Amino acid sequence: MPSRAVYPGSFDPLTNGHLDLIERSLRIFDELVVAVVTNPAKTGLFTDVERVEMIREATHELRAIEVVIFDGLLVDLVARVGARAIIRGLRAVSDFEYEFQMALMNRKLREEIETVFLMPHEAYSYISSRLIKEVAGYGGTVTGLVPKAVEKQLLAKFPRR
Ligand code: PNS
């Protein structure tokens, strides 16, 4: 049976760091489900549908990827799609505490599902969706930090000054 993992996140928007993790995941797993998780507590810059479209466009050359919108408990999605692992990225020690808590809670909920932490390329270790939005919002350039499809959408939201 092909091995399958789920890579969940807000992806508001997808960055080159996320894309790097998607590619690394596909070196380990046969199939990857990228799950755009709807969070009613967070108002995003992009709608869920826009986020999915950007991810699809940025990954169209990659095989064995499915992009879905998800609302609910992550472990339920993982079980439903027949995956056995959750992929999360660790950029720096500062990510660890939050990730550690989530991984242990997910293990408590369904112990058969493992969280696999991957490190993005060091060139992307300082990139976050939050900083990308901040820089783009003030008219700064994010070329090389996000996929072209995302850069285009950011320019549409925040025209260069
Ligand atoms: O990109 P983010 O915002 O850091 O991703 C966080 C995400 C979406 C992975 C997390 O909030 C999540 O899994 N949400 C789904 C609801 C859930 O299962 N909560 C319990 C996780 S311990």
Side-chain angles (χ1 to χ4, degrees):
M1 229 173 76
S3 59
R4 176 180 281 198
V6 172
Y7 180 28
S10 306
F11 303 111
D12 183 39
L14 182 81
T15 68
N16 279 349
H18 294 131
L19 196 54
D20 182 71
L21 277 203
I22 289 173
E23 289 167 359
R24 286 175 198 279
S25 304
L26 284 172
R27 290 189 206 153
I28 304 173
F29 294 92
D30 300 318
E31 297 170 359
L32 188 68
V33 176
V34 179
V36 174
V37 180
T38 301
N39 184 347
K42 273 195 198 169
T43 18
L45 174 64
F46 294 101
T47 66
D48 298 338
V49 173
E50 286 172 328
R51 295 178 210 186
V52 165
E53 280 168 0
M54 286 185 281
I55 299 171
R56 289 209 175 116
E57 200 173 330
T59 60
H60 75 275
E61 283 178 349
L62 299 176
R63 52 161 189 94
I65 282 208
E66 194 185 337
V67 189
V68 299
I69 295 175
F70 175 68
D71 171 19
L73 269 186
L74 175 61
V75 288
D76 292 342
L77 171 76
V78 177
R80 198 168 68 234
V81 300
R84 61 180 194 207
I86 296 167
I87 305 286
R88 291 291 289 174
L90 280 181
R91 289 164 299 188
V93 177
S94 49
D95 285 337
F96 181 77
E97 204 170 331
Y98 168 59
E99 294 300 333
F100 186 66
Q101 278 186 334
M102 281 206 298
L104 290 184
M105 179 59 82
N106 285 329
R107 179 183 286 170
K108 174 77 183 155
L109 293 169
R110 276 190 194 254
E111 68 168 6
E112 69 279 14
I113 295 171
E114 292 295 342
T115 300
V116 176
F117 293 106
L118 297 177
M119 286 177 296
H121 191 280
E122 57 273 19
Y124 304 129
S125 60
Y126 64 95
I127 303 176
S128 67
S129 299
R130 185 183 63 79
L131 276 185
I132 291 292
K133 284 181 282 193
E134 189 171 318
V135 171
Y138 284 114
T141 175
V142 291
T143 304
L145 305 181
V146 294
K148 283 278 165 234
V150 173
E151 195 177 347
K152 207 171 67 195
Q153 290 304 320
L154 282 168
L155 274 171
K157 295 252 186 213
F158 305 117
R160 289 266 163 78
R161 295 170 180 186

